Amino acid sequence: MAKKSKKQQSGGTPATVALTAAGVDFTVHAYDHDPSHPSYGEEAAQAMGVSPDRVFKTLVADVDGSLVVGVVPVAGSLDLKALAAAVGGKRATMADPTLAERTTGYVRGGISPLGQRKKLPTVLDDSAQAHATICVSAGRRGLQVELAPEDLAKLTEAVLAPIGKG
């Protein structure tokens, strides 16, 4: 596992570029992605030696015809009903993966809540507030960024709500 501070970070992904531009403190964690692993998020937690409740996955859902991002711990799942309620919607379903990739500019398993091609409304599970830092995708498989949940919420203009379950 390699760690780079923002000062050592060069180039990077749209997510790390956005963090650098915002002047936010963050750490990049790189690991060798195993394409056969059944869960991108659990793989990240194991590879980094971080508790799965501090590693958050970025999921794209369709809420009443509009795409919305839900960011929840990898140890659980996204409560679609709670996500819809958090953005004032009635019904949510998981977005078509191809549409999610095209809209965010990232590939599945590497979708970051930061630096998306089209900025989508974002809801961060309120359990993130229990941690000094959390990890989210840095924009590609095998790359995570660790930052304060408050910084993530501010940069994504996220609503904090209980959208995780399990």
Side-chain angles (χ1 to χ4, degrees):
M1 170 180 59
K3 290 184 182 181
K4 293 182 182 178
S5 74
K6 71 176 180 181
K7 293 188 179 17
Q8 298 168 310
Q9 180 73 22
S10 61
T13 66
T16 59
V17 169
L19 287 166
T20 300
V24 170
D25 287 329
F26 67 97
T27 303
V28 172
H29 299 273
Y31 58 92
D32 292 325
H33 166 62
D34 176 3
S36 67
H37 200 288
S39 167
Y40 298 116
E42 289 175 12
E43 175 193 27
Q46 290 168 358
M48 295 185 306
V50 174
S51 172
D53 66 339
R54 280 192 49 230
V55 178
F56 283 63
K57 56 189 170 186
T58 305
L59 302 169
V60 181
D62 179 315
V63 178
D64 300 335
S66 297
L67 294 181
V68 174
V69 171
V71 184
V72 297
V74 301
S77 60
L78 175 63
D79 182 335
L80 289 166
K81 194 173 197 171
L83 178 67
V87 294
K90 293 186 186 296
R91 186 171 183 272
T93 58
M94 292 307 297
D96 172 73
T98 303
L99 179 59
E101 290 178 344
R102 194 170 51 241
T103 304
T104 63
Y106 294 118
V107 297
R108 200 167 27 148
I111 294 178
S112 177
L114 299 156
Q116 296 173 356
R117 181 178 290 147
K118 178 183 179 192
K119 188 174 182 177
L120 298 172
T122 301
V123 182
L124 175 61
D125 186 68
D126 62 359
S127 69
Q129 297 174 101
H131 308 286
T133 61
I134 60 171
C135 298
V136 296
S137 176
R140 70 173 180 256
R141 296 171 186 157
L143 197 65
Q144 294 277 309
V145 65
E146 181 177 351
L147 74 165
E150 299 81 23
D151 289 335
L152 177 62
K154 181 179 177 185
L155 290 173
T156 59
E157 299 175 12
V159 171
L160 285 148
I163 60 166
K165 62 181 180 179

